[in-house]
Amino acid sequence: MSTCASASRLLAEPLAGTAATARTWLLLEQPGPWGSDALASSHLDPAVARALDEAAAGTGVRIALIRRPGRHADCHHPAGRRVFAAHTAPGNSWIRTADITDPAQLPGLDFAALGAGRHGGLWEPYEGDPLALVCTNGRRDRCCALLGRPLAAELAASDCGEVWEITHLGGHRFAPTLMVLPHGYAYGRATAQDVKEALEAARDGRVATTGCRGRSAWERPAQAAELAVRDLTGEERADALDVTATEGAAPRWTVTVAHTDGRAWQAVVEQGAAEPPRPESCGKAPGSPARMDVVSVAPLGGSQPAAFFANSVV
């Protein structure tokens, strides 16, 4: 197979249902270098890193490090850091933020409440532009550095919004990847124009579905199902759809997606393997990563015929 043909087939792998899963994100500014396990392999105090890992375990909160795009001063002890907590569930998406001097205070947060979507008045409400978080951790995967850092720099130079680099979003083979908060939709194979459109949509409370991998609030089958319903109905409002039930187990699930106007759909999602084999990260041996294929979407409580998809909707 020619290089061009091989690349074309790799690009055909669906993006839907590949977003990192987390209902709540805790983002800590940490300039300087990041290692493969960035929380533990950075200039963040190792004891604080361990305490954060332990505090967040099993709570639905995912912790990541962030930094501004561009060259990074190797600061072991920065004077101040920005921190964000963001919840991504439909109808209850929020971002809280603060400037802190000592990350050692963070393990004392109520992680169980944050994971459940209750901020309890923590810090200040964030009222700026949507956050664009571009994965750039080359020590985790060099594609994220080679493709993500130029994208982050271009976005920052264009003054299109609040742009940060982030340590890890998964799906390195889809680089450059990013996530947009507060709604938590992730994107892959992104161009600067794609991101600008996604940010403009987020400002209006909408979702741009081009290159969308799914909403991080849900597990992968539900991510794919929700995007399939958006594709079927043309619904763009971020909080108009919710996933109310996911039944079954790999390799087949039934997912119920509900609209705020009372409509609902049932999607059948099957787990397949991406073929031909491809590296899941730059430099790794080829493998067959799991993919989420939406094989049908049917309305509940109506006579509208079902929609069938040969593969995933993306």
Side-chain angles (χ1 to χ4, degrees):
M1 181 183 296
S2 71
T3 301
C4 290
S6 176
S8 176
R9 292 191 66 182
L10 293 181
L11 285 176
E13 181 182 352
L15 288 165
T18 66
T21 56
R23 294 182 71 80
T24 303
W25 293 79
L26 180 64
L27 309 172
L28 171 62
E29 183 178 6
Q30 177 60 57
W34 297 334
S36 177
D37 181 1
L39 197 62
S41 304
S42 68
H43 291 326
L44 182 66
D45 185 319
V48 173
R50 289 192 297 272
L52 282 169
D53 264 339
E54 292 171 2
T59 65
V61 178
R62 181 166 175 149
I63 302 172
L65 302 182
I66 57 175
R67 63 191 179 194
R68 289 295 190 182
R71 297 183 63 85
H72 309 291
D74 196 354
C75 298
H76 286 253
H77 303 289
R81 309 166 194 247
R82 191 76 176 273
V83 62
F84 298 94
H87 189 65
T88 62
N92 187 33
S93 298
W94 47 258
I95 304 177
R96 311 288 290 191
T97 189
D99 292 307
I100 64 171
T101 57
D102 186 6
Q105 65 187 265
L106 296 178
L109 297 177
D110 188 341
F111 280 82
L114 292 174
R118 303 188 303 272
H119 57 70
L122 176 70
W123 304 329
E124 297 293 328
Y126 174 74
E127 297 177 346
D129 286 330
L131 303 183
L133 305 162
V134 182
C135 187
T136 63
N137 189 358
R139 292 299 182 90
R140 183 88 181 195
D141 187 288
R142 68 174 182 266
C143 285
C144 294
L146 292 173
L147 300 176
R149 292 196 69 185
L151 175 63
E154 181 178 354
L155 293 170
S158 68
D159 195 27
C160 67
E162 186 76 4
V163 181
W164 294 82
E165 297 183 1
I166 190 170
T167 48
H168 183 52
L169 291 175
H172 310 294
R173 64 192 179 280
F174 304 127
T177 64
L178 73 144
M179 183 176 61
V180 177
L181 292 173
H183 302 118
Y185 283 93
Y187 294 85
R189 306 185 191 123
T191 67
Q193 184 59 39
D194 292 337
V195 180
K196 291 174 184 177
E197 291 174 1
L199 291 174
E200 185 62 32
R203 287 187 191 96
D204 296 336
R206 298 181 293 108
V207 181
T209 56
T210 299
C212 192
R213 301 173 61 194
R215 191 167 188 162
S216 76
W218 300 311
E219 297 297 325
R220 293 185 60 187
Q223 293 173 11
E226 189 249 15
L227 288 175
V229 172
R230 290 194 182 278
D231 184 71
L232 178 67
T233 63
E235 178 59 70
E236 294 183 331
R237 290 170 295 167
D239 288 339
L241 298 179
D242 196 0
V243 174
T244 57
T246 301
E247 300 174 337
R252 187 179 177 91
W253 299 264
T254 301
V255 181
T256 302
V257 179
H259 196 288
T260 52
D261 66 8
R263 289 178 294 165
W265 297 263
Q266 194 169 78
V268 176
V269 183
E270 293 184 349
Q271 179 177 304
E275 297 291 348
R278 78 279 320 280
E280 293 192 51
S281 295
C282 285
K284 287 193 174 181
S288 297
R291 55 183 280 173
M292 296 292 121
D293 293 332
V294 179
V295 296
S296 69
V297 179
L300 294 176
S303 57
Q304 184 179 354
F308 292 91
F309 297 86
N311 289 298
S312 185
V313 296
V314 174

